[in-house]
Amino acid sequence: MPEYMLLLYAPAADEPERSEERWAELPLWREVTESLREAGLLVANAPLHPPTSATTVRVRDGATELTDGPFATTKEILAGYYVLNCADLDEALRHAARLPTARYGSVEVRPIMDPGAVPTTGQAPAPGR
């Protein structure tokens, strides 16, 4: 079955009460996660530390540049991810809609490229792989 990455984006939780609201959803997160595990769809999932813990790496003209913080400043942050084995995109989208973040943020769903589809030369991979 193809794998899909569900990237969880949420508004930055600058206010303490907003953060508390999100942690109050933990039972719902556990319920959804356990149902995905029981269905044999869950490959991996994890929350991420806040963007302030990020380090961005760039290599320019052979020199490595490190910048504290995320690559870009946005109103939404990448808060976590799920990797699911789903029959198709429609199934992945159905499960993405079940995640609490979909109610106040967004869930980006992307197929994960099969390592065998990565070209060994400079050509682009075949569409849909």
Side-chain angles (χ1 to χ4, degrees), residues 47-99:
L48 298 174
H49 285 281
T52 55
S53 68
T55 302
T56 299
V57 179
R58 294 178 183 86
V59 177
R60 300 293 185 268
D61 298 319
T64 302
E65 301 172 7
L66 303 177
T67 306
D68 289 340
F71 175 72
T73 302
T74 64
K75 292 184 180 191
E76 287 189 326
I77 61 166
L78 179 59
Y81 69 92
Y82 278 72
V83 176
L84 303 180
N85 271 318
C86 294
D88 54 30
L89 177 60
D90 289 336
E91 182 181 15
L93 294 173
R94 279 194 308 277
H95 292 298
R98 297 174 57 206
L99 298 171

